[in-house]
């Protein structure tokens, strides 16, 4: 057999073997959904769902390529890390903690850190317009203040 054929065959075997080690694609039960808890305007709920929920909730849409290693590991680690930092399906019930989370959302949107570019490159519907970004930011500021003055939700 020619050398390149052997290399190709070896790569194929390694790729196939990797598929045995795909991470779990979980969607645990929703505990306290941010939208249910804070009742934002419909336009904001839609933006959050389109731009954030895949990584920051228990309602992740796992695409077909999330089943294929090694891409599956990258996606699963983003989702796990995203949920760990901020979980819209496990929204804090304590007003002071919720206020801090609102501040953080405001901050990452201000610095355009979220949604990550690597994500919006593939997910056009997750790209926020300036108006959508501003709308969420203004809302987080109002809600954070409400939480701090002791009148949670709307
Ligand atoms: C592709 C997955 C992905 C998407 C989509 C995404 N995030 Fe994130 N986000 C992460 C990951 C991973 C982290 C933790 C590591 C980091 O800070 O980069 C994070 C961190 C954060 C943090 C910091 C939390 C803290 O206090 O430490 C906030 C706030 C945040 N994201 C908000 C958002 C918002 C709001 C959206 C939607 C507009 C969004 N993210 C979309 C993956 C994502």
């Amino acid at each position: 057999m020619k050398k390149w054929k052997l290399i190709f065959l070896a790569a194929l075997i390694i790729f196939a073997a990797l598929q045995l080690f795909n991470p779990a694609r979980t969607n645990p039960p929703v505990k306290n959904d941010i939208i249910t808890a804070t009742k934002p305007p419909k336009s904001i709920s839609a933006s959050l769902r389109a731009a954030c929920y895949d990584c920051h909730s228990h309602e992740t849409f796992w695409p077909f390529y999330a089943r294929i290693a090694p891409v599956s590991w990258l996606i699963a680690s983003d989702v796990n890390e995203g949920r760990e930092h901020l979980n819209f399906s496990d929204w804090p019930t304590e007003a002071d903690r919720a206020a801090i989370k609102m501040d953080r959302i405001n901050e990452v949107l201000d610095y355009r850190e979220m949604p990550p570019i690597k994500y919006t490159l593939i997910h056009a519907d997750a790209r926020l317009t300036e108006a959508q970004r501003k709308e969420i930011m203004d809302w987080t500021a109002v809600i954070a203040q409400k939480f701090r003055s002791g009148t949670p939700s709307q």
Side-chain angles (χ1 to χ4, degrees):
M1 224 190 302
K2 286 227 174 67
K3 203 174 176 185
W4 67 264
K5 272 191 183 166
L6 271 174
I7 292 170
F8 178 75
L9 202 67
L12 206 65
I13 290 168
I14 290 169
F15 178 76
L18 287 183
Q19 304 315 314
L20 300 173
F21 302 98
N22 272 312
R25 298 175 302 278
T26 65
N27 268 331
V30 175
K31 285 190 204 154
N32 186 31
D33 179 60
I34 185 181
I35 293 172
T36 315
T38 62
K39 300 178 193 67
K42 284 226 157 57
S43 50
I44 292 181
S45 321
S47 294
L48 294 178
R49 284 198 169 276
C52 320
Y53 265 56
D54 268 352
C55 300
H56 290 292
S57 85
H58 293 170
E59 297 181 68
T60 304
F61 173 75
W62 296 95
F64 76 92
Y65 48 83
R67 294 164 185 266
I68 303 163
V71 181
S72 55
W73 296 328
L74 302 177
I75 296 177
S77 97
D78 260 359
V79 173
N80 290 336
E81 214 187 315
R83 285 174 179 171
E84 224 167 81
H85 282 78
L86 174 74
N87 195 335
F88 287 165
S89 300
D90 191 7
W91 184 250
T93 44
E94 307 86 358
D96 51 341
R97 280 190 57 217
I100 294 169
K101 292 287 177 194
M102 284 294 178
D103 291 344
R104 295 289 292 126
I105 296 168
N106 189 285
E107 239 173 76
V108 296
L109 289 173
D110 197 16
Y111 291 119
R112 295 182 168 79
E113 284 172 10
M114 293 282 152
I117 290 165
K118 64 177 177 196
Y119 179 77
T120 49
L121 275 177
I122 329 173
H123 297 88
D125 57 330
R127 288 172 208 154
L128 296 174
T129 64
E130 281 304 286
Q132 287 170 323
R133 203 171 63 85
K134 185 82 182 9
E135 189 188 23
I136 306 173
M137 283 179 63
D138 290 346
W139 173 75
T140 55
V142 171
I143 295 287
Q145 196 165 18
K146 275 189 185 166
F147 279 138
R148 290 206 164 91
S149 62
T151 49
S153 94
Q154 300 284 54

